[in-house]
Amino acid sequence: MTSPADLMVDAFGRINEGSALVVDGLSPAELSQRVAPGANTIGWLVWHLMRVQDNHIADAAGSDEVWSSAGWYKRFGLPFSERATGYGHSRDDVDTVHVQAELLVGYAQAVTDVTLRYVEGLTDADLDRVVDDSWDPPVTLAVRLVSVIGDDLKHLGQAEYVRGLL
């Protein structure tokens, strides 16, 4: 029987694979190209989905974000706060994300490695733990992880759509 942890390992693994595929072979200019005024770029979308995953997994696990602890913040050299995940970013903010595909893939792999180590050890009881009681009903770890997976898949689909238009 497949456990909930097995399903999450599979889902997060697919997000990582999809992130690598959507940026494969693209130049920094292509990763920064808007297909319509105000549309998000592939580079920003992949950066953002991995930042959110990194942030939420670190919070749930009680650990440091890979972004900061492994030096990805400095490698990317973006003009944002080290804590920025892309939430609330303006069109101008999106325009400042100019990156190499290899950098995005490296960060995605680092985040995925940490994510998989965390989720593969989760038990059913762990998934019932409340991680945010500011909502009604309170958010459990299971709900938070499914939310991250859903958000990541939406942004990955957006990036795939943009790539198809390039």
Side-chain angles (χ1 to χ4, degrees), residues 67-135:
W67 182 247
S68 304
S69 66
W72 290 99
Y73 171 71
K74 290 181 181 176
R75 282 183 244 177
F76 272 74
L78 298 174
F80 312 130
S81 153
E82 192 169 351
R83 301 190 55 73
T85 62
Y87 282 127
H89 271 187
S90 68
R91 290 177 183 180
D92 290 340
D93 292 329
V94 172
D95 283 337
T96 65
V97 178
H98 299 282
V99 296
Q100 300 276 339
E102 296 79 18
L103 192 62
L104 286 168
V105 170
Y107 177 55
Q109 187 62 59
V111 170
T112 300
D113 290 346
V114 168
T115 300
L116 296 183
R117 277 194 303 275
Y118 177 65
V119 298
E120 66 190 0
L122 294 175
T123 66
D124 292 352
D126 293 327
L127 294 172
D128 289 335
R129 177 174 60 91
V130 172
V131 295
D132 188 348
D133 60 6
S134 67
W135 295 88

